[in-house]
Amino acid sequence: MTDKDARTPARWHKSYVEGSRPDIRVPMRQVHLTNGRSVSLYDTSGPYTDPAAATDVRRGLPPLRQHWIVARGDTEEYPGRPVRPEDDGIRHTSPRGGLRNLDAVFPGAPRLPRRSREGGPVTQLAYARRGEVTPEMEFVALRENVSPEVVREEIAAGRAVLPANVNHPEIEPMIIGKRFLVKVNANIGNSAVTSSIEEEVEKMTWATRWGADTVMDLSTGRNIHTTREWVLRNSPVPIGTVPLYQALEKVEGRAEELTWEIYRDTVIEQAEQGVDYMTVHAGVRLAYVPLTAGRKTGIVSRGGSIMAAWCLAHHKESFLYENFEELSEILAAYDVTYSLGDGLRPGSIADANDEAQFAELRTLGELGRVARRCGVQTMIEGPGHVPMHKIKENIDLQQEICDEAPFYTLGPLTTDIAPGYDHITSGIGAAMIAWWGTAMLCYVTPKEHLGLPDRDDVKTGVITYKIAAHAADLAKGHPGAQEWDDALSDARFEFRWEDQFDLSLDPVTAREFHDETLPAEPAKTAHFCSMCGPKFCSMRISRDINERFGGDAAAGSPEEIAEGMLQKSKEFAARGNQVYVPLTERPEQFETAAD
Amino acid sequence: MTDKDARTPARWHKSYVEGSRPDIRVPMRQVHLTNGRSVSLYDTSGPYTDPAAATDVRRGLPPLRQHWIVARGDTEEYPGRPVRPEDDGIRHTSPRGGLRNLDAVFPGAPRLPRRSREGGPVTQLAYARRGEVTPEMEFVALRENVSPEVVREEIAAGRAVLPANVNHPEIEPMIIGKRFLVKVNANIGNSAVTSSIEEEVEKMTWATRWGADTVMDLSTGRNIHTTREWVLRNSPVPIGTVPLYQALEKVEGRAEELTWEIYRDTVIEQAEQGVDYMTVHAGVRLAYVPLTAGRKTGIVSRGGSIMAAWCLAHHKESFLYENFEELSEILAAYDVTYSLGDGLRPGSIADANDEAQFAELRTLGELGRVARRCGVQTMIEGPGHVPMHKIKENIDLQQEICDEAPFYTLGPLTTDIAPGYDHITSGIGAAMIAWWGTAMLCYVTPKEHLGLPDRDDVKTGVITYKIAAHAADLAKGHPGAQEWDDALSDARFEFRWEDQFDLSLDPVTAREFHDETLPAEPAKTAHFCSMCGPKFCSMRISRDINERFGGDAAAGSPEEIAEGMLQKSKEFAARGNQVYVPLTERPEQFETAAD
């Protein structure tokens, strides 16, 4: 499918809900139905789907939040850390220096980085605790259809995070917490083996177009700094990273050469660029490494294995754990949100919920308390591979140990036997764990365990996870969640095919699938579909029954109902009991197909 | 993908486990691993995947069970009901008589139908109650790796069914019950709008090749009788139908013209052909119809809507309900298993678990008791569209009301918003309800609500549902279920890529996905993949750690562990702390991709 399909769909338009001030404009996807009604849906696609907004990836998105940040007066611009060649993985020692393409440097207007003026926390958590409802909080309140006070309370209590680096003014604020809509993250990122800067930016806009609420840039190859700059400047959603990956590139992949100074420098580099949340594997402590020795699949988290290797090489406690308080003060000065990584998550059904995993989880709970004391918003990352019967124990323990900090889970995958379909093995676990309280789901694509996702894999992963997230919103009884299902089911029952397509998570595919068997235009209004054919359509029979009975017939005593039914069935008979289209009235295109 | 890919895979062969007698040979899929071990998996694909077996769809499969049936001496051959033109939907009144292609009549050797000699039940249920372990029971015991006595007990108690019509001797026996592996059904069937006999037979063999345990032929167009004959004679798995569809064809789609006599004649016609289980919507009673009037999507079951229309037209109780005992005696004489249809199942999230659904369920419980009293094996069909938080109530109520009779559910779909992806919306619900006790899952394809599934849709639907079924087997702790996951995870951790592919539910797709990014042969043995690239592979780092620690390091007091670790890390350092492949050692094909 082409961008056009998604960017300019036939019958919906971008609308904005205005807040208490004209510069608070919350984007919505307004779907216009053929019955005159319209339905508005949560929209993550940013200005790209607004024909009125002229976007240019070489200029970047408008800095929506810039004056909110400046107006708070608690941050200041400063020269910032100079960008060095090694930030893009270029070294004199390297046989292959130079950017892949030198014109790749982001051409948009340069902006000085900002940070806390006094060094104290300039975070949404700090503001919420002070009782302030920021424009960002009002924005998400309108977006989630809850009161701003609920948003402030949840953030203040540490039960929700609003990732919004002061150096990423381009984002449309969103919130992650169990009292809000379940969110979905999509991973992008080149690796040593494949893909380019352009592809990564395109993957980001593509993922948000289909509903990704945040995007993680997990690049590990060259041009990491430059790729990230392009992604950040063009992203309407919060961007997450794993600074450890870039730090490792700076020491040419030799884990034992990592130092706190190199890591710290990398975190500042990324904070100045505007990364909104960072995965930090500070829970992988020296003493936990042996706990993984007896596992079937050892350590499958990249960050976890790197830190384990470092701890072994030096036989020292993790430098992330040792310097966690200082690290927290840095993040607080930019409002970077922690995503405390589960470096020891299980990589197979056999290793689920073992001692290594839970030992680390207890440490993450402890670190979360340190982080919040420093004013840093904090999420906790979760597994991994977990069979269905062990999922609840997982989230219940996380909520208890981590003081209800937002849980951010990968899957979990409910079986190991289906490489090529792990978006499904994990979508099952994701829906369940989200129902039970997970705040954000990290998507898994069909390529998991096998290769890097391409454009179609990214879309399939996002759609699958939007299904899991919405199924959980329904199960949690999130206010308004069911309206979407109801609108689509009404359209289905009334044979408003175009409305059914337009209300779908993926209108393009729904329309394509329908047209494969019934391409002719008349079929778009036909009172049946190719599944049962005209004579067997249960929905039309059932609508027939509805018309003859009306809702009222269900009321009254058994006798009254029986009497009412007798009446109705007489009318029914009087009209010739016709519940089907006689063969002779069947439109020609089905005749031919039928014989 | 081609048939060949699936029929003659590189490194597995068909093996047979022999029972107490040489003619009990249970097929297994024996996967040979590169480490010399082998894993045997449940195999539904029939003789088609056995190079030693010469199959010919025009001759049909060998009648494996024929002499078991004859040996019991309780059945006899008889002339049977003459096949009439209207059995294939051909009428003098029709402007378009004649089979689509006259040579379509099944050319295999004709066989006289059999039925009970004295008219009493000749069912696996009757034998089990008498304490007999039939060859069929021994066959499934070996297939499920449980004792034959457990099989007999579960069948005798009505908690499991072994669908095996005396006129379908071609099947490899299988069992459906919560104490056994969760099964998956695939629907095929032409409709008035599209598809041919050849396609239906091909869909059946294709579905079983990927793991379908039973197949339902839901044909509604012309050539119903002939299509079914071809499918039955070539099917290694039990075949289910909905006789009401063909009966309606015989009255040219006028529901009110249906009679008990026409229906009864159709049931006998199909029983003589060898249909193993029949969906009967006898629970749709006159008094329940008004309960659907207030629904968002009314009645979405075809059978349910047809019976509701009949009840209204005549203002009479359902002829299926009224004649249920006689119907049961007919089914008992052929060992046709009941699948009591949920004609009032919800068709949207809004209608889930409503009074109409549960009123019918109570009636199904009552009918199940009548059926078993007549010696008929019985399953109960379930919803439909149900949000996650209402699924447990559903199965718990079914198990209580229906005396633990096997539950056979469609999905359930956990949201309405994703047409085009309903294999996923329903796969989520299917995994959960199977974990909680559903015995068989009816698959849903990506085309649900939109069109008729093609070959690829059938495969996607089956694979998705095999995932849900296996995830449930794991959660239920089914003996041996996790061995499959463990074998694949071992292969993954040891970078035995070919083994990982061969152990996958879909080896073809797993291999294709891997080769997309790393096509070169060396990559098949490479100790990393394209996701992280050579420098970042967590698994190799982790294996490194494993080698240095061994399982033993995890034992002993904290001091001992610390001491052991100190030792290990010295060795580690001595070996140059090497956890990555140095850039210079990276194979050329990655260099090019990396720059």
Side-chain angles (χ1 to χ4, degrees):
Chain A
M1 104 205 23
T2 70
D3 286 17
K4 198 174 155 307
D5 296 325
R7 189 183 285 118
T8 59
R11 302 205 333 276
W12 67 274
H13 82 278
K14 188 102 164 186
S15 69
Y16 295 87
V17 177
E18 201 170 290
S20 63
R21 36 193 278 191
D23 64 348
I24 295 181
R25 297 175 69 237
V26 181
M28 295 282 174
R29 176 186 173 122
Q30 200 75 23
V31 183
H32 306 290
L33 307 181
T34 56
N35 63 1
R37 302 221 184 81
S38 85
V39 179
S40 51
L41 304 175
Y42 193 103
D43 178 29
T44 59
S45 60
Y48 301 101
T49 50
D50 183 351
T55 57
D56 171 1
V57 291
R58 301 181 63 81
R59 286 203 355 267
L61 296 176
L64 173 64
R65 297 167 53 233
Q66 189 64 19
H67 55 293
W68 302 348
I69 296 163
V70 174
R72 286 195 272 264
D74 55 0
T75 57
E76 63 187 357
E77 292 183 335
Y78 69 108
R81 169 192 173 285
V83 177
R84 310 193 190 90
E86 49 271 41
D87 298 345
D88 273 315
I90 299 151
R91 336 178 174 78
H92 301 303
T93 64
S94 163
R96 301 178 303 304
L99 284 174
R100 190 173 311 167
N101 42 354
L102 277 165
D103 68 333
V105 175
F106 182 70
R111 198 191 294 136
L112 279 178
R114 354 185 106 245
R115 67 182 170 199
S116 167
R117 186 185 300 275
E118 268 83 39
V122 293
T123 66
Q124 297 290 324
L125 172 56
Y127 306 141
R129 281 175 175 164
R130 272 193 248 130
E132 290 174 32
V133 172
T134 62
E136 287 89 344
M137 294 178 203
E138 185 186 339
F139 191 103
V140 300
L142 287 165
R143 209 168 185 182
E144 299 267 346
N145 194 23
V146 297
S147 84
E149 185 51 24
V150 168
V151 172
R152 192 200 60 76
E153 272 174 20
E154 292 298 300
I155 295 173
R159 287 189 300 264
V161 296
L162 194 162
N165 184 322
V166 295
N167 293 310
H168 192 195
E170 296 91 349
I171 60 165
E172 296 168 341
M174 52 79 71
I175 192 163
I176 302 165
K178 63 182 171 185
R179 281 188 64 176
F180 305 100
L181 289 165
V182 175
K183 304 305 189 295
V184 172
N185 170 73
N187 293 333
I188 61 172
N190 62 332
S191 86
V193 180
T194 173
S195 102
S196 76
I197 291 179
E198 296 71 13
E199 282 171 42
E200 296 315 312
V201 176
E202 169 57 17
K203 271 188 207 164
M204 178 274 293
T205 55
W206 183 243
T208 54
R209 184 160 304 147
W210 292 108
D213 295 284
T214 75
V215 167
M216 288 193 81
D217 178 359
L218 304 184
S219 296
T220 59
R222 289 196 172 65
N223 305 336
I224 294 184
H225 181 99
T226 306
T227 302
R228 189 168 48 233
E229 188 67 26
W230 279 84
V231 169
L232 279 162
R233 301 288 73 85
N234 286 289
S235 175
V237 303
I239 296 298
T241 61
V242 185
L244 192 62
Y245 297 170
Q246 185 178 11
L248 191 69
E249 287 286 347
K250 293 179 179 176
V251 293
E252 303 197 26
R254 290 188 285 270
E256 75 281 4
E257 288 185 15
L258 281 169
T259 64
W260 162 241
E261 290 66 32
I262 290 167
Y263 183 86
R264 183 182 184 284
D265 174 68
T266 306
V267 165
I268 291 170
E269 170 190 352
Q270 299 193 6
E272 290 179 346
Q273 283 187 289
V275 169
D276 301 286
Y277 65 91
M278 297 181 185
T279 294
V280 178
H281 299 93
V284 180
R285 301 189 57 180
L286 178 64
Y288 303 157
V289 180
L291 299 177
T292 67
R295 278 181 159 185
K296 187 163 285 295
T297 50
I299 301 175
V300 295
S301 149
R302 281 191 245 167
S305 58
I306 293 162
M307 289 312 298
W310 188 92
C311 291
L312 293 189
H314 300 278
H315 187 58
K316 277 210 193 116
E317 185 56 270
S318 156
F319 62 80
L320 294 176
Y321 182 82
E322 296 279 309
N323 299 281
F324 191 76
E325 188 138 4
E326 183 182 348
L327 182 59
S328 301
E329 280 157 12
I330 296 168
L331 267 56
Y334 300 88
D335 199 2
V336 175
T337 297
Y338 267 126
S339 184
L340 297 179
D342 57 333
L344 302 182
R345 69 167 174 268
S348 59
I349 291 298
D351 296 341
N353 293 17
D354 69 356
E355 181 47 27
Q357 181 187 354
F358 288 151
E360 179 185 35
L361 184 59
R362 283 187 287 275
T363 299
L364 297 185
E366 166 202 334
L367 294 173
R369 284 181 283 278
V370 175
R372 285 189 299 273
R373 198 177 61 234
C374 299
V376 183
Q377 305 189 80
T378 305
M379 301 187 278
I380 309 291
E381 294 184 10
H385 293 237
V386 186
M388 284 192 288
H389 64 298
K390 292 187 176 180
I391 291 176
K392 188 124 194 350
E393 177 189 13
N394 233 287
I395 171 121
D396 289 349
L397 206 58
Q398 181 274 339
Q399 287 289 293
E400 179 198 331
I401 291 176
C402 304
D403 317 296
E404 297 183 83
F407 204 21
Y408 170 27
T409 63
L410 176 73
L413 285 70
T414 55
T415 171
D416 304 340
I417 66 168
Y421 298 83
D422 279 328
H423 58 303
I424 296 175
T425 64
S426 66
I428 291 166
M432 294 171 72
I433 204 164
W435 168 26
W436 291 326
T438 287
M440 183 158 76
L441 302 168
C442 181
Y443 88 162
V444 171
T445 78
K447 291 283 169 63
E448 182 75 10
H449 298 121
L450 297 171
L452 272 184
D454 61 21
R455 182 186 168 83
D456 289 342
D457 298 318
V458 166
K459 178 184 172 182
T460 301
V462 171
I463 298 278
T464 302
Y465 272 68
K466 293 298 278 188
I467 288 168
H470 184 74
D473 291 334
L474 285 176
K476 287 161 69 176
H478 189 284
Q482 199 184 312
E483 282 169 27
W484 190 355
D485 299 73
D486 291 350
L488 192 141
S489 290
D490 284 336
R492 181 173 283 154
F493 194 60
E494 289 162 18
F495 296 100
R496 288 185 273 112
W497 288 98
E498 291 294 348
D499 291 346
Q500 189 181 161
F501 302 148
D502 293 340
L503 285 166
S504 301
L505 258 182
D506 178 1
V508 183
T509 300
R511 193 175 269 103
E512 277 174 1
F513 282 2
H514 173 271
D515 291 359
E516 269 177 35
T517 21
L518 294 181
E521 259 324 298
K524 291 292 195 338
T525 52
H527 278 194
F528 58 89
C529 67
S530 61
M531 282 174 292
C532 313
K535 287 165 53 196
F536 274 86
C537 182
S538 60
M539 300 255 266
R540 60 170 302 130
I541 298 171
S542 169
R543 285 184 64 220
D544 231 10
I545 292 166
N546 244 355
E547 283 160 23
R548 279 150 184 65
F549 276 84
D552 59 321
S557 71
E559 296 67 28
E560 288 165 346
I561 291 175
E563 179 43 42
M565 286 177 68
L566 187 51
Q567 265 316 315
K568 297 289 186 182
S569 58
K570 280 177 185 157
E571 299 165 22
F572 191 47
R575 301 192 201 177
N577 299 315
Q578 188 178 320
V579 287
Y580 303 111
V581 207
L583 284 168
T584 53
E585 292 175 25
R586 285 162 55 187
E588 201 45 45
Q589 72 266 29
F590 303 112
E591 290 302 348
T592 52
D595 293 333
Chain B
M1 100 207 24
T2 69
D3 286 16
K4 198 173 156 307
D5 296 325
R7 190 184 285 119
T8 57
R11 304 210 328 279
W12 68 273
H13 83 279
K14 188 102 163 185
S15 69
Y16 296 88
V17 177
E18 202 170 289
S20 62
R21 35 193 278 190
D23 65 348
I24 294 181
R25 297 175 70 236
V26 181
M28 296 282 173
R29 176 187 173 121
Q30 200 74 23
V31 182
H32 305 290
L33 307 181
T34 55
N35 64 0
R37 300 222 184 81
S38 85
V39 179
S40 52
L41 304 174
Y42 193 102
D43 178 31
T44 60
S45 60
Y48 301 101
T49 50
D50 184 350
T55 58
D56 172 1
V57 292
R58 300 181 65 81
R59 289 207 347 270
L61 295 176
L64 173 64
R65 296 167 53 234
Q66 190 63 20
H67 55 293
W68 301 349
I69 296 163
V70 173
R72 286 194 273 263
D74 55 0
T75 57
E76 63 187 358
E77 291 183 334
Y78 70 108
R81 167 192 174 284
V83 177
R84 310 195 189 88
E86 49 271 40
D87 298 344
D88 271 316
I90 299 151
R91 333 176 177 78
H92 301 303
T93 64
S94 163
R96 300 178 304 303
L99 286 174
R100 192 174 308 167
N101 43 353
L102 277 165
D103 68 332
V105 175
F106 183 70
R111 199 190 294 135
L112 280 179
R114 10 182 94 244
R115 67 182 170 199
S116 167
R117 188 186 299 277
E118 269 82 38
V122 293
T123 65
Q124 296 291 322
L125 172 57
Y127 306 141
R129 281 176 175 163
R130 273 193 247 130
E132 291 174 31
V133 171
T134 61
E136 287 89 344
M137 294 178 203
E138 185 186 339
F139 191 102
V140 299
L142 288 166
R143 210 169 185 182
E144 300 267 345
N145 195 21
V146 297
S147 85
E149 185 52 24
V150 168
V151 172
R152 192 200 60 76
E153 271 174 19
E154 292 298 298
I155 294 172
R159 287 190 299 264
V161 296
L162 194 162
N165 183 323
V166 295
N167 294 310
H168 192 196
E170 297 90 349
I171 60 165
E172 296 168 342
M174 52 79 71
I175 192 163
I176 302 165
K178 63 182 171 185
R179 280 189 65 176
F180 305 100
L181 289 164
V182 175
K183 302 306 187 297
V184 172
N185 171 72
N187 292 333
I188 61 173
N190 62 331
S191 85
V193 180
T194 174
S195 105
S196 77
I197 290 178
E198 295 70 14
E199 282 170 44
E200 297 315 311
V201 176
E202 170 56 18
K203 271 188 207 163
M204 178 275 293
T205 54
W206 184 243
T208 53
R209 185 160 302 147
W210 292 108
D213 296 283
T214 74
V215 167
M216 287 193 82
D217 177 0
L218 304 183
S219 297
T220 59
R222 288 196 173 66
N223 306 336
I224 295 185
H225 181 97
T226 307
T227 302
R228 189 168 48 234
E229 188 68 25
W230 279 83
V231 169
L232 279 162
R233 300 289 72 86
N234 287 290
S235 175
V237 302
I239 297 298
T241 61
V242 184
L244 191 62
Y245 297 170
Q246 185 179 12
L248 191 68
E249 288 287 345
K250 292 178 180 178
V251 294
E252 304 197 23
R254 290 188 285 269
E256 74 281 6
E257 288 185 13
L258 281 168
T259 63
W260 162 241
E261 290 66 30
I262 290 166
Y263 183 86
R264 182 181 185 285
D265 175 66
T266 306
V267 166
I268 292 169
E269 170 190 352
Q270 299 193 5
E272 290 179 345
Q273 283 187 289
V275 169
D276 301 287
Y277 64 91
M278 297 181 185
T279 293
V280 178
H281 299 92
V284 180
R285 300 191 57 180
L286 178 64
Y288 303 157
V289 180
L291 299 177
T292 67
R295 277 180 160 185
K296 187 163 284 294
T297 49
I299 301 175
V300 294
S301 149
R302 283 190 243 167
S305 59
I306 293 162
M307 289 312 298
W310 187 92
C311 292
L312 292 188
H314 300 278
H315 188 58
K316 277 208 192 119
E317 185 56 87
S318 157
F319 62 80
L320 294 176
Y321 182 81
E322 296 279 306
N323 298 281
F324 192 75
E325 189 140 1
E326 184 182 347
L327 182 59
S328 301
E329 281 157 10
I330 295 168
L331 267 54
Y334 299 89
D335 199 1
V336 174
T337 297
Y338 267 126
S339 184
L340 296 179
D342 57 333
L344 302 182
R345 68 167 175 269
S348 59
I349 291 298
D351 295 341
N353 294 17
D354 69 355
E355 181 47 27
Q357 182 186 353
F358 288 151
E360 180 186 33
L361 183 59
R362 283 186 288 275
T363 299
L364 297 185
E366 166 202 332
L367 294 172
R369 284 181 283 278
V370 175
R372 286 188 298 273
R373 199 177 61 233
C374 299
V376 183
Q377 305 189 81
T378 305
M379 302 187 277
I380 308 291
E381 293 184 13
H385 293 237
V386 185
M388 284 192 288
H389 63 298
K390 292 186 176 180
I391 291 176
K392 188 125 195 346
E393 177 188 13
N394 233 286
I395 172 119
D396 290 348
L397 206 59
Q398 182 274 339
Q399 287 289 293
E400 179 198 329
I401 292 175
C402 304
D403 317 295
E404 298 182 82
F407 204 21
Y408 170 27
T409 63
L410 176 73
L413 285 70
T414 55
T415 170
D416 304 341
I417 66 167
Y421 299 82
D422 279 328
H423 58 303
I424 297 175
T425 64
S426 66
I428 292 167
M432 294 171 71
I433 204 164
W435 169 26
W436 291 327
T438 286
M440 182 158 76
L441 302 168
C442 182
Y443 88 162
V444 171
T445 77
K447 290 282 170 62
E448 182 74 11
H449 297 121
L450 297 171
L452 273 183
D454 61 20
R455 182 184 167 83
D456 290 343
D457 298 317
V458 166
K459 178 185 173 183
T460 302
V462 171
I463 297 278
T464 301
Y465 272 68
K466 293 299 279 188
I467 288 169
H470 184 74
D473 291 334
L474 285 176
K476 288 161 69 176
H478 188 284
Q482 199 184 312
E483 283 170 27
W484 191 355
D485 300 72
D486 291 350
L488 192 141
S489 289
D490 283 336
R492 180 173 285 154
F493 193 60
E494 290 162 18
F495 296 100
R496 287 185 273 112
W497 287 98
E498 291 295 347
D499 291 347
Q500 189 181 160
F501 302 148
D502 292 340
L503 285 166
S504 301
L505 258 182
D506 178 1
V508 184
T509 299
R511 192 174 270 104
E512 275 174 2
F513 282 3
H514 173 271
D515 291 358
E516 269 178 34
T517 20
L518 294 182
E521 259 324 299
K524 292 290 195 337
T525 52
H527 278 195
F528 57 89
C529 67
S530 61
M531 282 174 291
C532 313
K535 288 166 51 197
F536 274 85
C537 182
S538 60
M539 300 254 267
R540 59 169 301 128
I541 298 170
S542 167
R543 284 183 65 221
D544 231 7
I545 293 165
N546 243 354
E547 284 158 25
R548 280 150 185 64
F549 277 84
D552 59 321
S557 71
E559 296 67 26
E560 288 163 348
I561 291 176
E563 179 42 41
M565 287 177 67
L566 188 49
Q567 263 317 315
K568 298 289 185 182
S569 58
K570 280 177 185 157
E571 299 164 23
F572 191 47
R575 301 192 202 177
N577 299 314
Q578 188 177 321
V579 287
Y580 304 110
V581 207
L583 284 169
T584 52
E585 292 174 27
R586 283 163 55 187
E588 201 44 48
Q589 73 265 27
F590 302 114
E591 291 301 349
T592 53
D595 295 332

